[in-house]
Amino acid sequence: MATLFSRPQRRPPLLRQAIKIRRRGVRDLQDPRPPRAQEIEPSSHHLLPEERALLYEEALYTVLYRLGQPEPNHVGESSELLRYLQEAFRMEPEEHQQMLKRVQQLEKPVFCLKATVKQAKGILGKDVSGFSDPYCLLGIEQGMTVSGGSPGLRRRQKAVVRHTIPEEQTHRTQVITQTLNPVWDETFILEFEDISNASFHLDMWDMDAVESVRQKLGELTDLHGLRRIFKEARKEKGQDDFLGNVVLRLQDLRCREDHWYPLEPCTDTYPDRGQCHLQFQFIHKRRATKASRSQPSYTVHLHLLQQLVSHEVTQHQAGSTSWDGSLSSQAATILFLHATQKDLSDFHRSLAQWLAYSRLYQSLEFPSSCLLFPITSIEYQWIQGRLKAEQLEELATSFSSLLAYGLSLIRRFRSVFPLSVPDSPARLQSLLRVLVQMCKMKAFGELCPDSAPLPSLVTEALRAGTVGWFHLKQQHHQPMVQGLLEMGKALLSLVQDIIGDLHQCQRTWNKIFHNVLKIDLFSMAFLELQWLVAKRVQDYIAMVGGSVTPELGESLFQLYVSLKELYQLGPDGVLALEGFHRWFQPAIPSWLQKTYSVALARVQRAVQMDQLVPLGELTKHSTSAVDLSTCFAQISHTARQLNWPDPEEAFMITVKFVEDTCRLALVYCSLIKARAQELSAGQKDQGQAANMLCVVVNDMEQLRLVIGKLPTQLAWEALEQRVGAVLEQEQLQNTLHAQLQGALAGLGHEIRTGVRTLAKQLEAGIAKHIQKLVGIRESVLPEDAILPLMKFLEVKLCYMNTNLVQENFSSLLSLLWTHTLSVLAEVAASQRSCPLACSRLKFALQNLEICFYAEGCGLPPEALHTATFQALQRDLELQAASSRELVSKYFCCRLEQQAATTSEELGAVTVKASYRPSEQKLRVELLSASNLLPLDSNGSSDPFVQLTLEPRHEFPELAPRETQKHKKDLHPLFDETFEFLVPAEPLQKDGACLLLTVLDHDRLGTDDLEGEAFLPLRSVPGLTGMEEPGEVPQTRLPLTYPAPNGDLILQLLESRKGDREAQAFVRLRRQRAKQASHQHSLQPGR
């Protein structure tokens, strides 16, 4: 059977001289390819044993006859490369030794140095014009051993190449005229035998043509040119000028070199002679291996590359790692040596790399990004004429093969690039970029002109792959039993898989296809899948018909929800799934009934399992309230899932949900109260029963909070906007809102009833302790007297605060506060005549206020300071005061009355008052009175004024003073001065005043009262400082009468029968009030 390496190849004739290659017309140095033999299938990288042996021979030969110093990062030891080859080709040690020995016996290749003279710069100008006509002589000197790394024995000699290297081995470049920076770009092949004693020589000369003196003078530009003319006159005619040389030992060179080398002088006259740019490459000619004799170089290199890359990928897979496209240093070294020795061009190396990688990618697992470099390299160097017909066909086949393989991967991208593998998106994107770059190549366009545009091919592959994936999923979910329920579950699973796939397309895959190819994968996949899904769902619902069992209804509901989610994913203009909700319309009653039945059963089960114990310190309701909240949340979730598109039907469905929820709330209240009675029936401990009642109230409060969230959870506002054009606002209020308000009102009534029951258990204790306050003996301090009451409240309220939620605890506090105020008011009314008892009640009220406020955690101030509280506070403030304090309060009230009186209906008095601190004297000047009432029968009065410092207990030693009596004068001018010897301190107390009583003198009976005026002593000039008062202003005081209906303070003083001072004060004030009442009755017109 003919194999890849079976047909021998015709050798070119042996050249005695080096072959000169023009860079401008570079031709491939490869041997001409023989007629095309049977080749290995492009999709396989495996070789037959005979082929593998020939390729192994080629690789060993390459390592054994390597030339030059190793490249950086390459392997320098040949033994290491041989071991790597043995492993890469999976050779047994004995077989390896046999092959190695056989290769060592083969004829050595012809060693060549491929030298390219690129250009020079900065050379010497030898002509009269200041320029030169440079050319180069180059060759290899064999047999000279130079120590120290430099060929210094002949470094200073001119014409080294011309004198030491045979003429047939000497090569010459073209002459570049009149320049100091010549460009040659010429390549030469120089043979040598032993690299260890061979050196490369290059001499650069200036071509000197025979010219007349007249011609040279015509070119003269400066004195330097003239000097050159004289120097040339001494030379032989036609003798060239030496410009410099380059001498290099071959063993110091790498396989490939590309450097600027300085031109060395022969003397020190001109040490800087410029630089020459040279490129070197060690190559082989007439290799003795069968592969080299029978096949083109790039083909052999291609298969060697395939073998080594295959080994690299296999090694990484064995180590459970992914190959990243980087070759090991051993593989890179061997491939570099082989390409260099075979003198493969960069283009053919890229071509071989492309063919190898594109074939291996279809059978081995490695990144597609490895294909980008050869694609770019081929595109950059592409010239169709550089390849033979067989090579063009091979390249076209590789393009078509990779494109077909890539499209097959794209068609199956869901399974080939699963998202469970982290780098799958990156691998798919890399594949797409490789295909895009390949299809953009000039080579692809020329070799595959009939190929359709890549986006069209990929779109069609994605469409076919999506349909195929759907059918695979449908077969996967096919039920074993062909029942309606099983078929519904299978269809549901299929729809859920489709939703998951579309989510992946939307989140991940669509970005990749759109960024690389501008393909909207998601829209295309959705449009394909929605038609397929719609057909299956319609067929299934037609099979179900109108008989919907609860189990089947649940399956249909889940299918409806999944279809709704699928529908919402799609773009506008979805045709197949438009109006899909109508397919499920017969199942709505079953769904609603199932929702209520499940919720009711769950509520009953939750209450039956509830032990009415708080869940924790912060969570004060029981387990059934949590279950109920979850149950209601599930109902709301079901309503949101349903979200029926038709507005009228959606409104009726929501009404049904609200009705069922409110009904469940009332059912729960009945069940939880019955459960509390059941658990407390056998309990003797009343505290345990109270605990359960607290939990029941908290559960109801939690339920009220949950019910109050229904409008938000069921999106009433959006629903009302949808149905606003169909239903009237009044109808909405009479349905949804009325149902909700009724349920909340019922819950509120139940909560208040529970809280009131708890409050009644505490009210009796509070009343009992308040009653005890007034019976405690007088020696007990108020703090000690109220201690039992405060301890009772502390224990009970702490207990209630612990067991009740804040809302219910606040309601309880409000009830207890109202009850406490009413009890205090009753007891205070019964103890009006006992200041001690009232003092304790006052102290108790102050502490109860603090207790119920609880530093802001109890009742707020506006709830505490009710009208009842303020009235009780005023009453207790008075009742707890002593008699003298009451007298002082009485005069404070009269002073306030005096300050508020502006009318002079009863007349007025004018006084001047001041205080002299140095003498401790109060000086009062009574100036006059005016507009007095005529109290005598003659239509006039006999007025005088009585001056008294009040209250009397503050001024016991100061007797009242009187003015002179004026006959028949309603506007008396008294102009009298009175001095009171009194310290300043009592004058500054509350209620301290000068009482001016204006009387009508009556000889036969009691003097009649004209009116009273009260001057506050606290404001008298001179009282607040040590300086004597200056000019004292006059004060006009309207006259007033005592209150005709009595005074609360006088009533309290009157009730204190055992206090003679209080009784005397009351009698005097009663007498004045009686006189005022009498005079008022006699003056009806005023």
Side-chain angles (χ1 to χ4, degrees), residues 381 891 1083:
Q381 305 177 74
F891 284 108
Q1083 302 290 332

PDB file of all heavy atoms in Angstrom, residues 381 891 1083:
ATOM      1  N   GLN A 381       1.078  37.011   4.745  1.00  0.00           N
ATOM      2  CA  GLN A 381       2.059  36.637   3.721  1.00  0.00           C
ATOM      3  C   GLN A 381       1.411  36.009   2.494  1.00  0.00           C
ATOM      4  O   GLN A 381       2.103  35.414   1.671  1.00  0.00           O
ATOM      5  CB  GLN A 381       3.059  35.622   4.309  1.00  0.00           C
ATOM      6  CG  GLN A 381       3.758  36.114   5.575  1.00  0.00           C
ATOM      7  CD  GLN A 381       4.666  35.055   6.160  1.00  0.00           C
ATOM      8  OE1 GLN A 381       5.735  34.787   5.622  1.00  0.00           O
ATOM      9  NE2 GLN A 381       4.236  34.446   7.238  1.00  0.00           N
ATOM     10  N   PHE A 891     -55.094  84.381  97.763  1.00  0.00           N
ATOM     11  CA  PHE A 891     -54.671  85.737  97.407  1.00  0.00           C
ATOM     12  C   PHE A 891     -53.959  85.746  96.045  1.00  0.00           C
ATOM     13  O   PHE A 891     -54.018  86.743  95.324  1.00  0.00           O
ATOM     14  CB  PHE A 891     -53.792  86.325  98.504  1.00  0.00           C
ATOM     15  CG  PHE A 891     -54.575  86.769  99.706  1.00  0.00           C
ATOM     16  CD1 PHE A 891     -54.532  86.065 100.904  1.00  0.00           C
ATOM     17  CD2 PHE A 891     -55.393  87.907  99.648  1.00  0.00           C
ATOM     18  CE1 PHE A 891     -55.267  86.465 101.994  1.00  0.00           C
ATOM     19  CE2 PHE A 891     -56.131  88.314 100.755  1.00  0.00           C
ATOM     20  CZ  PHE A 891     -56.081  87.591 101.934  1.00  0.00           C
ATOM     21  N   GLN A1083     -77.932  97.368  93.267  1.00  0.00           N
ATOM     22  CA  GLN A1083     -77.534  98.169  92.111  1.00  0.00           C
ATOM     23  C   GLN A1083     -77.781  97.374  90.816  1.00  0.00           C
ATOM     24  O   GLN A1083     -76.856  96.927  90.148  1.00  0.00           O
ATOM     25  CB  GLN A1083     -76.031  98.529  92.210  1.00  0.00           C
ATOM     26  CG  GLN A1083     -75.661  99.287  93.456  1.00  0.00           C
ATOM     27  CD  GLN A1083     -76.214 100.704  93.462  1.00  0.00           C
ATOM     28  OE1 GLN A1083     -76.408 101.306  92.394  1.00  0.00           O
ATOM     29  NE2 GLN A1083     -76.482 101.258  94.629  1.00  0.00           N
TER      30      GLN A1083
END
